[in-house]
Amino acid sequence: MANALDPHAAVATVATGETDGTLRTADGKPLARALARSQTRARRRAFLLVLPLLAFVLITFVVPIGQMLQRSFYNDGFSAHMPELSQWFADNPRGTEPDDAAWAALADDLTSAAEDRTIGIVGTRINYDVPGTRSLFTSTGRKAKRGLEPPYRETLLDLDDEWGDPRLWSAMREASTPFTTNFYLAATDRTRDESGKIVQVEERQRVYIMLFMRTFWLSLLITALTFVLGFPIAHLLATLPMRKSNLLMILVLLPFWTSLLVRTTSWMVLLQQQGVINDVLVWLGVIGNEQRLQMIYNQAGTIIAMTHILLPFMILPLYSVMRTINPSYVRAARSLGATSWTAFRRVYFPQTLPGLGAGALLVFILAVGYYITPALVGGSSGQLISNLIALHMTDTLNWSMAAALAALLLGSVLILYWLYDRMVGIDNLKLG
Amino acid sequence: MKRLLVLSTALAGIAMTASAKEVNVVSWGGAYEKSQVEAYNKPFTEATGITVNMIAADNPATPLKAQVEAKNITADVFDIEVSDAIRLCDEGALVEINPDDLPASPDGTPAADDFLDGALQDCAVANIFWGTVIAYDETKFADAAPSSAADFFDLETYPGKRGLPKNPKRTLYLALIADGASADEIYDLLGSDEGVNRAFDKLDTIKDSVVWWEAGAQPVQLLADGEVAMATGYNGRFFDAMVAEGKPFKIIWDGQYMDMDMFAIPKDSPNPEEAMEYLKFATDTQRLADQAKWIAYGPARKSSAQLVGLYQDGKTEMAPHMPTSEDALKNAVMDDPEFWADHDAELTERFNSWLASN
């Protein structure tokens, strides 16, 4: 019996030669269209099934990241509250000396911003680019509320001669459009001079590039350390009989399930100068009471604590891959005359690469964004870029700056991920 | 039937709480929050029937700014530092407060004259003065005890690690004081390149011996662990460790850095009237004096000073432990919020750069 759902039906119609050569189903519809329709239906159903997850990812992940990125280059603190002066900047090209119209626009905008109580927003925005000018805006604003007399240039310069500073005018021009790259410049230790040219900031103000480098270097180091420490453990776990390996596995998992904060503070107890390790060393007579080792509140503290905390992220993917490696390969290599080192190097190790890749990627990306551990045990030399992002979020409340730093961090992680994909191939990743 | 009864009672309960008056206060948590609950909230609820919900934050200015940016204000009163109060006021985020609306002192002095200098801002009213002070472990310096900011930087006479906060605001001034600058020229110096260099040069002399802290609980912990011999920290926290926990700490008032905490009400808060009522109640003479019973922070009103009595243990006289006491004020630097609003970003960057370079 031919049936519309019977996949052979179409072929059957062709065989009877009733049509113009296109494949048709039993009820005479072209097969391609019927197939497309049924596939669309299946796709739609699949889409509906993942819709909740998609919405969740969009709302909690994509939208916030998008807003963060927007904040890093969009700041209308000046342009929205100083409309007339912004208009003057738009009408007159860079290099035009501020004329009477510009000064009048400035005076007008200052007065209305002071009356609307938005002068603080304006001052804060310019203060990011020219430090020390916030109070220039707020104090002039207070006086402007009592009224400013023309000629405005002289009046404003009388109030404070800093109004004549070309660097201030250059910064106001930069801020007169809401879109700005200044936060990215600042995040890479750069600024604009009076003529708007991009220059490096003074050497003693440079901090971000160095911190980015340090973050990447420490993350690489920690990844390498977790590999060196984790590889033998994973191998042991994978080769021991199940009963023993399960017991050992608990020793890996138990700290993994323990709160990050607890583990970090435990390291503080162990490592500090009056801590357990120093006490034991003094008791054993290895070091004198006066030569207690400084193992915490510096880079060493960050490296030790982060390596320990991230170790399970290396061990678990390695272990899951190693379990699946057939031991007879190595035995075969040995029987063919390979030394144990050659057998390891040429037969066993290459098969662990998917696990190693996954572990390294996990550890590195987690390490790059680490915050609590370096904040608590890092001291001054163990700080990472995340600590400065947090500083701008909670202390200086310069969210645009925090967003620019975070965007740079995100961008560089994506580039590394892309490089990894090019060199190792993301298909070779095995997480478990 | 029974279920219906339970349900309707529950609904009635919800309706009740919804209509009951309340005010949401964001403060700093810990012993400070407890002092506010005891001194302000309990009598306020008793007097007015308005419930007070306390919400703790690391720095209430952060959620305040976040709520203003998101245009979704969920709390009514925020306890913030002066510089944040001024900044947010200039940005139009806070309700302006008329000093004439605030209660006068018991002897009739209007609020405008009763509050200490700087304690009344356009949009905020201070409740306490608090100090960042040096404290040391007595047992570490049995022979000769340190007594000044200069001693803090003297590693030879007073060996041991030092605990300092990881920000320029509460470190640079101390370096200048220790270097011989007087308290009233601090901001002139910090406003000039030479002054800032001088401060960093002085900090350089102890940089290798400093343990940097970020949260207020840390310096106390560092001292208690013996990790540092001397540290600067908040006077209330040190007081707590000394009096409540009996730690052998001593406070040095020389080179105190004094700050205020203020109540502010954001625009468009859900309960503006209750918020204003709470703010007035909490900053009257008696309430501010009562708070000192629970924590060693100085009341922001002159008239409260005479009313300050004993600590909650019933035997410790509070007056000498106040950052506003005569001894404590001898060489104190008062926070200059305008200066920090202008120079915070610049000096923080310089400070971080200095910290990170070895």
Side-chain angles (χ1 to χ4, degrees), chain A residues 167-190:
Chain A
R167 202 162 153 234
L168 176 68
W169 280 86
S170 162
M172 289 199 289
R173 178 181 284 281
E174 288 302 324
S176 66
T177 61
F179 295 95
T180 173
T181 53
N182 281 13
F183 296 109
Y184 283 97
L185 288 180
T188 49
D189 292 335
R190 282 169 176 75

Side-chain angles (χ1 to χ4, degrees), chain A residues 204-405:
Chain A
R204 58 188 186 201
Q205 295 278 33
R206 286 177 208 162
V207 61
Y208 298 113
I209 297 264
M210 191 193 65
L211 273 183
F212 271 114
M213 307 278 267
R214 179 192 286 169
T215 303
F216 285 113
W217 154 241
L218 281 187
S219 300
L220 262 180
L221 184 70
I222 288 160
T223 311
L225 284 174
T226 53
F227 166 65
V228 170
L229 293 173
F231 196 89
I233 300 173
H235 181 71
L236 190 67
L237 284 171
T239 47
L240 275 181
M242 206 47 141
R243 214 158 47 86
K244 284 182 186 157
S245 88
N246 275 347
L247 200 70
L248 281 180
M249 194 56 149
I250 290 176
L251 295 181
V252 176
L253 288 177
L254 213 57
F256 184 57
W257 290 329
T258 309
S259 150
L260 179 72
L261 210 57
V262 173
R263 278 186 286 166
T264 306
T265 36
S266 313
W267 276 112
M268 291 165 76
V269 173
L270 287 173
L271 294 176
Q272 61 188 352
Q273 289 207 305
Q274 306 294 327
V276 179
I277 292 177
N278 265 314
D279 281 350
V280 169
L281 289 177
V282 169
W283 182 72
L284 288 174
V286 181
I287 52 171
N289 198 19
E290 296 310 308
Q291 300 129 23
R292 284 171 178 261
L293 301 176
Q294 180 76 38
M295 293 178 287
I296 200 173
Y297 306 123
N298 55 19
Q299 233 170 58
T302 303
I303 294 171
I304 294 171
M306 278 178 69
T307 303
H308 170 248
I309 287 166
L310 293 172
L311 201 52
F313 291 96
M314 181 62 91
I315 293 177
L316 294 175
L318 272 177
Y319 165 77
S320 78
V321 169
M322 284 174 177
R323 276 214 79 93
T324 62
I325 296 173
N326 193 336
S328 55
Y329 294 161
V330 175
R331 282 205 293 272
R334 294 296 300 275
S335 77
L336 291 171
T339 61
S340 54
W341 167 240
T342 311
F344 170 78
R345 187 170 57 87
R346 298 193 48 188
V347 176
Y348 188 77
F349 184 69
Q351 296 185 79
T352 64
L353 278 180
L356 175 61
L361 207 62
L362 264 180
V363 171
F364 183 82
I365 290 180
L366 283 173
V368 159
Y370 242 56
Y371 163 64
I372 294 178
T373 307
L376 285 176
V377 303
S380 62
S381 59
Q383 295 294 295
L384 303 183
I385 196 72
S386 54
N387 300 105
L388 276 209
I389 296 178
L391 177 94
H392 284 302
M393 287 298 294
T394 59
D395 278 11
T396 65
L397 299 184
N398 184 354
W399 290 3
S400 292
M401 186 70 195
L405 287 170

Side-chain angles (χ1 to χ4, degrees), chain B residues 216-235:
Chain B
Q218 282 176 293
V220 184
Q221 192 63 46
L222 289 169
L223 265 186
D225 287 350
E227 196 63 18
V228 300
M230 260 194 250
T232 70
Y234 309 143
N235 75 293

Side-chain angles (χ1 to χ4, degrees), chain B residues 293-350:
Chain B
K293 188 179 163 195
W294 303 95
I295 199 158
Y297 292 144
R301 273 179 187 258
K302 291 173 202 152
S303 56
S304 303
Q306 302 92 287
L307 301 177
V308 170
L310 298 175
Y311 184 57
Q312 50 170 311
D313 63 1
K315 53 177 196 254
T316 313
E317 195 67 50
M318 286 306 276
H321 294 286
M322 290 290 169
T324 42
S325 72
E326 206 178 313
D327 252 6
L329 285 175
K330 267 183 199 149
N331 198 18
V333 176
M334 187 69 208
D335 181 55
D336 181 347
E338 285 287 340
F339 176 86
W340 287 107
D342 272 357
H343 297 282
D344 198 12
E346 178 195 13
L347 288 176
T348 301
E349 239 145 70
R350 170 107 192 249

Side-chain angles (χ1 to χ4, degrees), chain A residues 71 117 120 135 204 206 208, chain B residues 69 90 92 96 342 349 353:
Chain A
R71 200 181 277 278
R117 282 206 163 274
S135 64
R204 58 188 186 201
R206 286 177 208 162
Y208 298 113
Chain B
E69 294 248 340
D90 283 338
E96 284 180 60
D342 272 357
E349 239 145 70
S353 168

